[in-house]
Structure formats: C-alpha cells, structure tokens
Amino acid sequence: MIAPIAGGSFEGPRLRGRVLPGGSDWTLLRSDGVLELDLRITLEADDGALIYMNSFGLRHGPPEVLAELARGDSLIRPSITFGPRQDSKRAHRSMRI
C-alpha cells in the first residue's frame, strides 16, 4: 500500500519547518507477518533549506496481537516492536532534531 503524504509541520529544539506535499509512506505485509514501513518525505526548514528524509522499519509482534491490529482493535499494552533490523547498517544511527 502506498499512502501519499499531503504535508504537515515539525518542530524541535533546533529545527522547525514544514513537510512538503509529494512524499509517500510505502507499506508491505510480508508472508512471514512482518510489515515493512518505508517513509520518504521532503522537509523545508524555516530558513528555506530542503531536507530529504527517509525512514525504514519493520513492525512485528506476537501473531495474536497482529491479528488484533488487522481487525482494527486498539492495543492497550506495548506488544508491537517498531525499529530497524539489528543487522542493518543503519541500526546504530539516530537523529535528534
């Protein structure tokens, strides 16, 4: 599934601006039940600088919890893991804004 990103804003201690329209969030449900999340957007900082941002992650969890999500049930407990693969070259990277 591809979900278009229409826009938005962001703000942090050192950087703020807007999310430009035209980005997308790609999701792929694999045969092993893991959901791949691939976000690609362009940010425009208040000073006019353009920043390309991409984020890739995997969502996985116990089969019964994933079934709850598929039904649209809300989860009260933290049963789902979002994050980079531990074998990923980028698993050690993080960015503070």
Side-chain angles (χ1 to χ4, degrees):
M1 182 174 111
I2 301 173
I5 305 298
S9 62
F10 64 94
E11 184 173 341
R14 297 183 292 164
L15 188 64
R16 71 176 51 106
R18 63 189 187 117
V19 179
L20 298 180
S24 294
D25 193 358
W26 285 262
T27 58
L28 173 68
L29 182 57
R30 300 184 335 196
S31 61
D32 62 359
V34 173
L35 183 69
E36 292 186 4
L37 305 145
D38 185 2
L39 173 73
R40 301 173 193 189
I41 58 176
T42 302
L43 308 175
E44 182 179 30
D46 279 352
D47 66 1
L50 296 177
I51 303 163
Y52 172 76
M53 184 178 115
N54 70 320
S55 174
F56 180 85
L58 303 171
R59 182 198 75 183
H60 58 90
E64 63 276 6
V65 175
L66 295 177
E68 289 178 42
L69 285 173
R71 288 191 305 268
D73 297 347
S74 61
L75 298 175
I76 298 172
R77 62 202 181 285
S79 305
I80 296 295
T81 302
F82 287 93
R85 296 183 307 252
Q86 292 307 307
D87 63 343
S88 170
K89 291 185 287 186
R90 295 175 190 85
H92 66 282
R93 294 185 186 174
S94 65
M95 181 175 103
R96 289 184 78 143
I97 295 179

